[in-house]
Amino acid sequence: MLLPLLSAATLLLTPSLAVFQDEAFHIDYHFALLGAPKESTTFFHQPNPASKASLIYTLSEEGALGAVNPRDGSLVWRQLLQGQHQSNASFLRAGEGQDLVVSGSLNQVAAWSAEDGRLAWRTATDGVLRDVEILELSDGKEMVGAKDAVALSGSHGAQSSVVRLDGATGAVKWTYEFDGSDEAYQVSASSTHIYAILLHKTLLGYLRIRVVSLDPVTGKKIDEYMLSSENELATADTIVSVGANSASPIIAWTDAAHSTLKVNVVGSKAISSFTIDQHAGETVARVQVHAPYHINSLSHFLVHYETATSHWADVFHVDVNNGKVTKAYSLPKLAGKGAFSTSTSDANVYFTRITRDELSTVSSASHGILGRWPVTSFGVVSGIGEVIEPVHAVSEVSVKGDAVSAIRTVVLLSTGDWILLRGGTATWNRPEILASTVAATFAMPAEVEAFAERLQAEASSNPVSAYVQRLTRHIAELKDLPALLVSFPQRVVNGFLGTSEDDLASDNFGFHQIITCATRNGRMLALDAGNPNRILWNRQVADLKKEQAWNPRLASSKGGEVTINSQAGTGFRYNISNGEQLVSILPVDVEGDAKAAREVRFTMTDSALDATVDSKPAWHFSPASGQTIHSLVPRPVNDPVASIGKVLGDRRVLYKYLDPNLALLVTKSSLTLGPSNTATFYVLNTVSGAILHASTHNDIDLTSPIATLISENWLAYSFTSAASATAPKGQQLVIGELFESLVPNDRGPLTGNQNYSSTISTPEPYTLTHTYQIPEAISKLAVTRTKQGITSRQLLALLPDSGAIVGIPYNALNPRRPVGRDATKDEQAEGLLRYNPVLEFDPKWLLSHQREVLGLEEVVTSPALIESTSLVFAWGLDVFGTKISPSFSFDILGRDFNKFQMLGTVAALGVLTFVVAPLVTRKQVDQRWKFL
Amino acid sequence: MTTTQLTTSAPQWLHDMTSPSTAVIQQKSKTPILDPPGFTALQTKQQKSKTPAPVRKQPTPEEMDTLKLKKAWELALGPAKQLPMNAIGMYMTGNSLQIFSIMMVFMLFKGPIGAMFSIQQTFSRLETETNRGQMLLVKAAFVGCNLLALALGIWKVNGMGLLPTTRSDWLAWETARDPLERAYFVPS
């Protein structure tokens, strides 16, 4: 009895800001992504050797390892490996009939349970990993239990080594260290030997391939030789392939001009040379080798040639006995790009070719096509006029007799989508490109913004003209009436079932804003925040070289368009509803503000801040000696404040220090200097350069993230303090609020002046701060934004350790919470509670509730058209978005509003009226006829 | 006519029964028979009540004025007598904005204001040509008492926080200062 009462009482006391159960999974969306899969680390594999059902395993370019169900594309499990965004340095292997997958990245070799992704073992190697292979030995006694792994590692300039790791425990069985400082390249294992391939740099700067063969059991060197690749190899980039784990592993390379292909079967010194056909004078841009990955499959391989506009392939056979390589047949040249995948069935090898419009399978033995499926659509969106090309593919083929009975192919497309083709039809797609988002912004569709502006105009004009305007608007809207009437029944049904999928144009609440995301590889795509499962468009906006950073910044200056500024160029504008590029007349100054008479522009260089007025230097800020600038956050340009003061419990006013020219600057000690790590947080007036507030924190763990935020008249920052003799390691969240005066009803020295110049007088704010001990590190802080700033604020914090995003109500952090005493009656009226230095994150504050949101890096917010609601979008590896109402949804009916009950009541009343009406009439008539 | 007929044709008892009063009076005047002991005759009663009535003399206009003035003072001070009662009621309802307290405060305002508007009507019965001068004082007292009641209402409304007397009530009309300069961050 007492317990429910108590809990009810606590509900009344604490502001229960929370995600409601009926809203979870409806208002929020989440893409659990892996990132673009790499060709070499993607494969079908049976997690349970006893069953035939297989999963797709991949280790992506973002360093995420995961398994995807090929039936519907859902994620089965996922692990984040260290070393994100580092391509070419991670490996994923699975032994045949094994229930473990072995990954390698940086210097960690780890084995994961294929079924549920649990870590089986993890071993660190001395150098950076160059390759990881599974030993598929043919001698019987080694086959018991888990198969062992071989790892090749070597740092630049240091000694390279090969280790054999026990498949069950990860223990090192033997280590072989190479002499010399040759760069380790790859390791491959045949049934009897382990071959390590190293690159030896000659005096002339060319590379020679050095092959060392080792005994798999003892780790002793058996043989060593150099391949005479004279002056052909200038860099390692032209080495096409070193086939691993096959009956006869091969090394293939070309010269820089891609004119000849040289193939060597590892173990023999003979080199076969083939001339690459130059079709119609087009230069071959890329040569790839696709070889089967099974030790007992036929030693056939396919060489894939690619020019700018076409592609073709040759199939070669290797004679296992004498190591001779012969060309068997060619696959015809086709326009566009294509992808080849290799699949095996027993000893047979099949090659599947995916082009823009067709999928076909051939056997490696002969060129007869075993199956052909036209691909009408990949089921993904692209930019206007863009042709979607396959980038790479992995197939699972089942063959009956001479025909392919079923084929499943996962293809990475040039749009960055990862799709599965069953036969020739697209079954599902995963927008893995979103995992490489580097910038994103909200933009209002033009129609919605026009509507909002019209409403604004009506609200601000005098009542008569507003009425006339409204009337004319309604008359103008009458032309949509027939269409509305037609769609009305459907809309009613949708409204009741909660399945309404209203379009962008008729969005009166501003929930259907368009989120544009720029990705690391120069593409841009758009999502509808109200219906995020549909990508509106996806196009290439920047032509980048491999590994080139472009640092895009997105902004939406006005409805219907988005502007990109990047290193590739500034002021590119795009229509957000279809991705069309708009003709750029002038680079639009996004932040231009007509009211300000004088503009001060400031930039941040590596070690200082510099401001200029009319291209003359205005002020300069350089950090104290031994300190470097860590970050700078200016107050957002569009930061509406509803009230210029805070009303106290006794109805007096504390005036906020509101200045649009505020910035929070963080400096930290350069890591090289001294053991005492400090960070200093400055609040700057960016017009005069004056320091308004500064606080220094000692013993900070500078390797942990420092998150900062400034908005309205308050600032927040979070850091991790290092363990010291007096205090343990812990995370702290500091919140500070700036006031004009701490005396109520006092507006400070400037009193009620209409305008002021910061260069003439900068009154200093009175700052109140509170520090809270928080349970985990915050990587990024943001704040909710609403249209007029009336709604109370929530501090949004990304928690990387628990994969969550939390919305902390401002009142829980309020720096005016009384310290060391209970709140007085007036303070209680303001909702202030006694200060408690430990702030636990209430589970109800978690915006991501049950979802596990991995790798989030950034979060942006945007106001909806209705005051109560703010839209949130967070990205990193995963993409997460929601809409939140920090002061509850006071201007819109929630999901808990029972439409059925309301309509039922109305209907019942109507029926009742109809039933009772004749009774009442009769009674009245009867009364007339009665004599008194 | 019926009486005469009855007296002639009907017996005396019947006549007495049908018109008892006349019978009694007739009996009184006519018959020498004594009343039964304990019987108080109607006539004696009539005689008793009649004896003071003729002595009551009409009050003089001066007396009337004093009387009316007295009555008027009573009326004028009536609202003041309700004040303590109202004050206790207001104190008990608390300062929260609830339908009950709002209704009570509304009544508190409606009463005195209504009374002040109908002041002529209230005192018209008691006003004469001669006491008009004194009546002014009375009316002033009446208005004063009602004002006291109004003051109580205002005190209550203030307690409820409905009077714009503090800085926060006028905060919406105060505007933020505009800076003459504006600083923009230009990413390098």
Side-chain angles (χ1 to χ4, degrees):
Chain A
M1 184 61 212
L2 206 60
L3 202 67
L5 271 180
L6 266 178
S7 56
T10 47
L11 265 178
L12 288 174
L13 283 174
T14 55
S16 54
L17 294 154
V19 178
F20 291 106
Q21 197 174 13
D22 58 343
E23 288 183 334
F25 296 104
H26 288 284
I27 58 163
D28 50 6
Y29 51 92
H30 173 212
F31 293 103
L33 299 172
L34 291 163
K38 293 202 291 183
E39 183 170 17
S40 60
T41 56
T42 306
F43 48 81
F44 282 90
H45 179 71
Q46 283 100 12
N48 184 357
S51 95
K52 286 197 81 178
S54 58
L55 298 176
I56 306 163
Y57 293 87
T58 189
L59 176 56
S60 72
E61 283 172 10
E62 312 293 327
L65 165 66
V68 170
N69 191 335
R71 191 177 301 123
D72 53 2
S74 61
L75 196 69
V76 180
W77 58 264
R78 173 167 70 147
Q79 297 282 353
L80 272 188
L81 304 185
Q82 49 191 185
Q84 276 193 52
H85 315 323
Q86 284 183 355
S87 50
N88 299 328
S90 54
F91 312 95
L92 183 68
R93 307 281 182 249
E96 206 176 341
Q98 295 276 289
D99 58 359
L100 290 179
V101 289
V102 178
S103 74
S105 80
L106 291 179
N107 65 343
Q108 297 274 344
V109 184
W112 313 86
S113 161
E115 206 150 4
D116 52 16
R118 291 205 186 131
L119 181 70
W121 50 262
R122 192 203 292 271
T123 307
T125 54
D126 293 336
V128 177
L129 282 174
R130 300 288 169 177
D131 199 9
V132 175
E133 284 300 339
I134 305 280
L135 269 185
E136 305 263 4
L137 293 176
S138 50
D139 47 338
K141 61 174 190 272
E142 297 283 347
M143 291 296 284
V144 186
K147 288 175 181 168
D148 289 357
V150 194
L152 175 71
S153 64
S155 306
H156 199 72
Q159 273 198 332
S160 309
S161 61
V162 172
V163 288
R164 177 173 171 178
L165 303 171
D166 188 279
T169 61
V172 176
K173 283 193 170 173
W174 51 255
T175 307
Y176 177 79
E177 292 201 350
F178 299 103
D179 47 339
S181 63
D182 293 346
E183 196 182 338
Y185 188 70
Q186 207 158 350
V187 67
S188 70
S190 74
S191 49
T192 51
H193 290 77
I194 291 171
Y195 298 104
I197 288 101
L198 297 98
L199 300 178
H200 177 76
K201 218 166 189 131
T202 61
L203 284 173
L204 290 166
Y206 291 106
L207 294 172
R208 295 186 73 188
I209 296 168
R210 175 182 168 201
V211 180
V212 179
S213 60
L214 303 170
D215 185 302
V217 181
T218 60
K220 294 279 185 296
K221 184 163 86 177
I222 297 172
D223 192 14
E224 175 176 349
Y225 60 91
M226 290 271 191
L227 287 177
S228 53
S229 59
E230 287 317 319
N231 298 342
E232 287 159 351
L233 284 173
T235 60
D237 294 341
T238 53
I239 299 177
V240 178
S241 154
V242 178
N245 286 23
S246 59
S248 52
I250 54 158
I251 308 174
W253 67 94
T254 67
D255 54 344
H258 298 300
S259 59
T260 46
L261 174 77
K262 304 226 168 165
V263 182
N264 163 254
V265 178
V266 178
S268 75
K269 287 178 187 170
I271 296 171
S272 314
S273 182
F274 301 94
T275 318
I276 299 172
D277 301 341
Q278 301 291 333
H279 283 75
E282 288 178 280
T283 51
V284 176
R286 195 155 154 239
V287 178
Q288 281 174 285
V289 169
H290 299 270
Y293 206 82
H294 276 286
I295 205 140
N296 45 13
S297 57
L298 293 171
S299 47
H300 299 168
F301 64 94
L302 177 142
V303 183
H304 169 199
Y305 307 100
E306 200 176 286
T307 68
T309 57
S310 60
H311 70 281
W312 68 95
D314 291 336
V315 176
F316 295 88
H317 290 178
V318 180
D319 190 330
V320 186
N321 298 325
N322 57 12
K324 253 185 100 172
V325 181
T326 50
K327 182 173 162 183
Y329 62 91
S330 293
L331 290 173
K333 180 176 158 179
L334 289 173
K337 290 200 165 56
F340 289 89
S341 67
T342 314
S343 22
T344 53
S345 169
D346 300 329
N348 297 318
V349 178
Y350 301 96
F351 297 116
T352 306
R353 180 182 199 176
I354 300 104
T355 63
R356 286 171 180 177
D357 47 17
E358 198 185 60
L359 188 79
S360 57
T361 303
V362 293
S363 162
S364 68
S366 72
H367 64 277
I369 287 178
L370 303 178
R372 187 198 289 271
W373 301 266
V375 180
T376 47
S377 154
F378 287 117
V380 298
V381 291
S382 64
I384 297 166
E386 186 184 349
V387 182
I388 304 170
E389 314 258 20
V391 176
H392 63 71
V394 179
S395 306
E396 191 184 47
V397 180
S398 69
V399 179
K400 272 197 188 127
D402 266 353
V404 175
S405 58
I407 180 163
R408 289 192 293 190
T409 314
V410 267
V411 190
L412 179 73
L413 299 173
S414 56
T415 55
D417 292 286
W418 201 32
I419 65 160
L420 183 121
L421 296 172
R422 181 175 288 132
T425 49
T427 316
W428 50 257
N429 71 64
R430 292 174 59 85
E432 299 292 353
I433 189 163
L434 281 171
S436 64
T437 303
V438 284
T441 189
F442 283 95
M444 203 67 99
E447 302 90 347
V448 177
E449 197 178 76
F451 178 70
E453 272 171 9
R454 256 201 326 266
L455 287 187
Q456 186 73 37
E458 274 173 27
S460 56
S461 56
N462 72 57
V464 178
S465 68
Y467 183 72
V468 172
Q469 271 186 24
R470 172 157 293 201
L471 216 59
T472 48
R473 178 163 65 85
H474 284 180
I475 289 168
E477 277 172 0
L478 269 184
K479 70 175 194 308
D480 302 330
L481 189 66
L484 185 77
L485 285 180
V486 168
S487 64
F488 193 70
Q490 188 60 42
R491 278 172 64 133
V492 168
V493 170
N494 284 346
F496 272 112
L497 302 178
T499 55
S500 59
E501 228 175 73
D502 23 353
D503 53 334
L504 290 170
S506 67
D507 170 28
N508 294 347
F509 300 135
F511 294 161
H512 284 267
Q513 293 187 25
I514 292 175
I515 305 160
T516 45
C517 305
T519 65
R520 199 173 297 119
N521 57 0
R523 292 189 76 88
M524 190 156 85
L525 60 159
L527 301 171
D528 174 4
N531 183 14
N533 289 324
R534 193 162 55 99
I535 291 175
L536 300 174
W537 50 267
N538 176 345
R539 64 169 289 169
Q540 190 82 34
V541 293
D543 202 12
L544 302 174
K545 293 186 194 75
K546 207 168 188 277
E547 304 293 310
Q548 185 191 352
W550 65 310
N551 293 335
R553 291 182 306 278
L554 296 175
S556 178
S557 48
K558 63 174 189 166
E561 60 179 63
V562 67
T563 314
I564 303 191
N565 292 310
S566 71
Q567 289 177 351
T570 54
F572 289 112
R573 297 185 301 139
Y574 295 90
N575 183 334
I576 52 163
S577 43
N578 57 12
E580 208 173 344
Q581 183 165 9
L582 301 170
V583 182
S584 201
I585 303 155
L586 271 176
V588 187
D589 193 350
V590 180
E591 297 171 343
D593 187 355
K595 274 193 288 182
R598 285 213 298 172
E599 287 189 0
V600 179
R601 299 190 167 266
F602 61 104
T603 56
M604 185 169 73
T605 55
D606 288 341
S607 58
L609 288 180
D610 278 297
T612 53
V613 184
D614 308 330
S615 66
K616 285 194 281 289
W619 52 266
H620 172 85
F621 178 93
S622 54
S625 66
Q627 301 262 314
T628 52
I629 292 178
H630 173 264
S631 67
L632 172 82
V633 227
R635 201 183 140 194
V637 173
N638 180 17
D639 189 17
V641 177
S643 169
I644 63 165
K646 286 216 155 178
V647 178
L648 305 182
D650 55 3
R651 296 163 66 208
R652 291 186 297 171
V653 180
L654 265 188
Y655 284 94
K656 299 173 183 173
Y657 186 86
L658 289 171
D659 190 333
N661 306 313
L662 290 183
L664 179 61
L665 177 80
V666 186
T667 66
K668 60 173 185 180
S669 1
S670 342
L671 280 175
T672 49
L673 280 170
S676 70
N677 289 322
T678 65
T680 308
F681 299 83
Y682 298 97
V683 178
L684 297 181
N685 183 316
T686 50
V687 167
S688 62
I691 295 170
L692 301 176
H693 173 77
S695 55
T696 304
H697 296 269
N698 295 318
D699 296 325
I700 284 185
D701 181 2
L702 291 177
T703 52
S704 305
I706 297 176
T708 53
L709 171 74
I710 187 162
S711 169
E712 216 178 323
N713 68 323
W714 53 273
L715 58 128
Y717 53 87
S718 142
F719 57 85
T720 303
S721 55
S724 68
T726 53
K729 182 169 177 166
Q731 285 80 26
Q732 291 178 21
L733 177 64
V734 180
I735 189 136
E737 195 163 3
L738 313 176
F739 291 102
E740 303 230 16
S741 164
L742 290 182
V743 179
N745 290 353
D746 178 23
R747 267 198 96 166
L750 288 175
T751 61
N753 288 358
Q754 276 304 300
N755 46 34
Y756 67 102
S757 166
S758 301
T759 49
I760 296 164
S761 65
T762 307
E764 285 195 10
Y766 293 83
T767 311
L768 296 178
T769 57
H770 265 342
T771 306
Y772 296 91
Q773 194 83 32
I774 50 172
E776 55 184 307
I778 293 174
S779 67
K780 195 82 192 170
L781 281 171
V783 67
T784 57
R785 291 166 63 191
T786 53
K787 196 158 176 58
Q788 287 152 318
I790 299 167
T791 306
S792 58
R793 306 272 185 155
Q794 254 184 43
L795 203 68
L796 304 180
L798 297 185
L799 309 176
D801 294 337
S802 55
I805 172 166
V806 69
I808 310 165
Y810 183 78
N811 219 28
L813 299 169
N814 202 324
R816 294 183 47 245
R817 282 175 67 171
V819 182
R821 60 178 174 85
D822 284 325
T824 62
K825 219 169 180 182
D826 281 344
E827 284 168 337
Q828 278 172 357
E830 279 185 78
L832 295 176
L833 297 170
R834 184 187 181 139
Y835 168 69
N836 183 2
V838 178
L839 181 79
E840 291 293 339
F841 292 148
D842 191 324
K844 284 180 288 187
W845 294 348
L846 288 179
L847 302 180
S848 50
H849 50 94
Q850 286 181 15
R851 301 180 189 275
E852 191 188 28
V853 194
L854 288 185
L856 286 189
E857 285 166 5
E858 290 279 346
V859 55
V860 287
T861 55
S862 169
L865 283 185
I866 54 170
E867 170 57 29
S868 67
T869 309
S870 174
L871 305 182
V872 179
F873 183 73
W875 71 90
L877 176 68
D878 281 6
V879 164
F880 175 79
T882 185
K883 52 175 188 269
I884 49 176
S885 317
S887 301
F888 302 113
S889 43
F890 53 79
D891 47 7
I892 187 170
L893 288 175
R895 288 183 70 88
D896 56 339
F897 180 74
N898 195 336
K899 293 174 188 168
F900 281 113
Q901 193 180 23
M902 188 202 69
L903 272 200
T905 312
V906 171
L909 278 176
V911 167
L912 217 66
T913 317
F914 274 107
V915 170
V916 171
L919 293 180
V920 172
T921 347
R922 204 170 61 208
K923 198 173 174 190
Q924 280 174 341
V925 172
D926 283 356
Q927 248 170 3
R928 283 287 171 87
W929 282 100
K930 252 177 206 159
F931 294 104
L932 292 169
Chain B
M1 215 173 99
T2 41
T3 345
T4 47
Q5 273 180 346
L6 277 173
T7 45
T8 50
S9 59
Q12 179 67 31
W13 63 268
L14 183 66
H15 177 252
D16 284 354
M17 203 182 72
T18 46
S19 55
S21 59
T22 51
V24 169
I25 293 160
Q26 277 177 347
Q27 225 174 25
K28 276 268 143 59
S29 57
K30 282 177 188 171
T31 54
I33 301 161
L34 284 168
D35 287 336
F39 177 82
T40 46
L42 200 67
Q43 266 179 335
T44 45
K45 222 180 187 178
Q46 273 171 349
Q47 275 175 343
K48 262 182 190 172
S49 63
K50 266 174 191 171
T51 33
V55 287
R56 186 179 165 186
K57 61 174 194 270
Q58 282 295 315
T60 59
E62 290 76 32
E63 277 174 337
M64 268 313 269
D65 277 1
T66 0
L67 271 176
K68 282 187 174 176
L69 209 59
K70 226 177 189 175
K71 183 73 189 160
W73 273 114
E74 233 166 72
L75 266 177
L77 295 179
K81 285 177 192 159
Q82 286 176 357
L83 266 182
M85 177 66 185
N86 272 335
I88 289 173
M90 288 296 132
Y91 172 74
M92 296 300 261
T93 47
N95 284 340
S96 56
L97 283 178
Q98 283 164 347
I99 185 76
F100 241 35
S101 48
I102 290 172
M103 290 280 277
M104 281 189 76
V105 171
F106 177 72
M107 297 310 281
L108 200 62
F109 275 96
K110 194 188 154 214
I113 290 174
M116 280 194 277
F117 274 109
S118 57
I119 186 165
Q120 294 299 344
Q121 215 179 321
T122 317
F123 290 101
S124 62
R125 250 171 352 102
L126 304 170
E127 197 165 18
T128 56
E129 288 296 321
T130 43
N131 69 357
R132 189 150 289 163
Q134 287 159 306
M135 227 31 172
L136 268 179
L137 194 69
V138 175
K139 283 179 185 171
F142 182 72
V143 169
C145 287
N146 276 315
L147 282 180
L148 270 181
L150 268 185
L152 177 71
I154 286 167
W155 166 76
K156 172 70 180 175
V157 167
N158 185 38
M160 289 164 93
L162 296 177
L163 285 189
T165 51
T166 55
R167 192 73 171 255
S168 60
D169 299 310
W170 304 98
L171 191 61
W173 281 269
E174 286 186 65
T175 49
R177 287 188 286 268
D178 284 325
L180 289 174
E181 298 93 356
R182 192 75 178 82
Y184 298 109
F185 179 62
V186 185
S188 55

